[in-house]
Amino acid sequence: MSIKGVVYKGAHEVAVEDVPEPELQNPTDVVIDVTSTCICGSDLHMYEGRTAADEGIVFGHEAMGVVEEVGEGVDSLDVGDRVSIPFNVACGHCKNCEQGKTGFCLNVNPDGGVPAGGAYGYVGMGPYQGGQAEKMRVPYADFNALKLPDEGHEDDFAMLADIFPTGWHGTELADLQPGESVAIFGAGPVGLMAAYSAKIKGASEIYVVDRVPSRLDLAEEHCDATPINFEEGNPVEQIIDANGGEVNKGVDAVGYQSVEPDEDRDDDEPYDPTKENPGVLINQLIRVVEPKGKLGIIGLYVPEDPGAPETISEMEAAGRLGIDFGKLFEKGQALATGQCDVKSYNRYLRDLIVAGRAEPSFVVSHRESLADAPEMYQKFDDREEGVTKVILEP
Ligand SMILES: NC(=O)c1ccc[n+]([C@@H]2O[C@H](COP(=O)([O-])OP(=O)(O)OC[C@H]3O[C@@H](n4cnc5c(N)ncnc54)[C@H](O)[C@@H]3O)[C@@H](O)[C@H]2O)c1
Ligand SMILES: [Zn+2]
Ligand SMILES: [Zn+2]
């Protein structure tokens, strides 16, 4: 038996094809009927051929849906329950899971691709078929599935699998406190969720840096942020000018594929958004954040970049970036990194949505049929004006 799923066909190509129908493999599994599944900036690293992902992998780690089949060992879920599935696959009983570090579960990655942690539809993160498909198998379902109210808020809840918790995580890694100021680099869906989290937490000033006007507009409108367009000048200087000095905290929501700000180009020279500089953001954060400030790095960095452009050095392609560590030390700053532990936050963020105190779906620009995945991948990858978060509906 087969279902439809989004299959990686090689750099810049996906297709909607027949893939194996997920089945219960262990008594602790459930299978869900996917009702909403999003495309993520993390998928784009694979889509662009910038990871070790093999052709044939079924993409998708941001899924929600309705429980369709329940393993014998599952206690808390019934057929028909509406659930959000964290992008992390976690066992619930290892040392890291016990401490809430579910992005670094020690039992779910038999591939050995990374030291710890599993995810659906992701290279090096274990054998979990992706959720950009009609159905998805959820291991350790009692632990992983988060129950949702039967109806309403579909687009808001679709943000709970990854980006709302991940944006929140960025502000947690930076230890953002009420009344503090924060600079957030990247106004993609993740950066916007970090800015929205900063607003909910009561930040005094929020600066959001990007070059895509429609994304910066969302930051201004929904997160009360000051938009900083890095094409218009050095973002560090723009923020320090606007803030009257360095900010308290910083978040990187871009990662290793950050585009070169290229401040030295002539004004009449067209801007080249394909030129990358993988270390630039961390250095900008070190400069814009005050001494003893903290940097939360949620943008993705990789230890190998097989598709790195020629403009990037061999060292950089191996994840060894030119970071101003001396400056970081001089300023006594701390930096924290890594995958979001979705389960640490998703229950509470769900309840903010249910209570009407958060509407993260402001980032959703498109809800399209799963069949339109190839076109939507391309538009999202182009960071086309007006394309922010894309939900696919199987
Ligand atoms: N840590 C985690 O658990 C986790 C989870 C989800 C996503 N991510 C990562 O977060 C990052 C963002 O994801 P997304 O879905 O928002 O992706 P996205 O690609 O849509 O957004 C990235 C944004 O950064 C902007 N940008 C590029 N260079 C920049 C620069 N020099 N300065 C400021 N902005 C710049 C781009 O214009 C774009 O709007 C990705 O690296 C993704 O892999 C991490
Ligand atoms: Zn994601
Ligand atoms: Zn575990």
Side-chain angles (χ1 to χ4, degrees), residues 22-286:
E23 290 172 0
L24 299 177
Q25 291 178 16
N26 295 306
T28 47
D29 292 349
V30 300
V31 171
I32 66 162
D33 248 326
V34 177
T35 54
S36 292
T37 177
C38 313
I39 308 178
C40 179
S42 296
D43 295 322
L44 296 182
H45 305 306
M46 295 190 288
Y47 176 74
E48 293 177 9
R50 297 292 297 276
T51 68
D54 290 327
E55 289 170 28
I57 171 173
V58 179
F59 281 168
H61 59 269
E62 299 189 8
M64 64 177 281
V66 176
V67 174
E68 196 208 52
E69 263 188 282
V70 183
E72 289 175 351
V74 175
D75 291 328
S76 61
L77 297 165
D78 291 313
V79 170
D81 283 345
R82 188 181 187 219
V83 289
S84 165
I85 309 300
F87 78 84
N88 320 110
V89 182
C91 76
H93 55 259
C94 72
K95 180 182 70 151
N96 284 352
C97 284
E98 277 180 357
Q99 296 175 2
K101 300 168 189 166
T102 54
F104 296 83
C105 173
L106 299 170
N107 284 329
V108 289
N109 196 343
D111 287 1
V114 286
Y120 304 92
Y122 214 85
V123 56
M125 300 293 275
Y128 308 102
Q129 180 165 297
Q132 285 166 14
E134 290 170 310
K135 295 182 189 186
M136 188 170 88
R137 177 178 79 95
V138 180
Y140 305 109
D142 281 317
F143 187 66
N144 287 308
L146 177 74
K147 273 201 226 180
L148 302 170
D150 288 342
E151 284 173 6
H153 296 292
E154 180 83 11
D155 288 4
D156 289 315
F157 289 144
M159 306 300 111
L160 284 177
D162 182 346
I163 65 166
F164 194 15
T166 296
W168 191 271
H169 188 55
T171 64
E172 287 285 307
L173 291 180
D175 192 26
L176 181 70
Q177 301 295 322
E180 289 189 325
S181 54
V182 61
I184 294 163
F185 285 77
V190 171
L192 288 168
M193 287 295 103
Y196 196 54
S197 300
K199 176 184 164 182
I200 294 170
K201 287 184 168 185
S204 56
E205 297 291 342
I206 304 167
Y207 300 93
V208 175
V209 184
D210 207 301
R211 56 179 291 276
V212 181
S214 59
R215 294 181 168 196
L216 289 171
D217 288 348
L218 288 173
E220 191 171 15
E221 193 180 328
H222 295 273
C223 312
D224 300 338
T226 304
I228 304 286
N229 189 328
F230 68 81
E231 276 190 45
E232 290 167 9
N234 182 311
V236 172
E237 285 166 18
Q238 290 189 64
I239 292 171
I240 287 177
D241 279 353
N243 194 53
E246 294 154 324
V247 290
N248 301 121
K249 301 289 168 62
V251 174
D252 167 358
V254 183
Y256 74 113
Q257 286 192 260
S258 53
V259 312
E260 166 66 52
D262 206 4
E263 291 137 20
D264 301 331
R265 78 185 195 286
D266 294 333
D267 283 345
D268 50 358
E269 231 179 278
Y271 183 74
D272 179 5
T274 62
K275 207 163 137 200
E276 295 178 14
N277 181 342
V280 69
L281 278 196
I282 298 181
N283 288 332
Q284 288 179 336
L285 278 171
I286 292 169

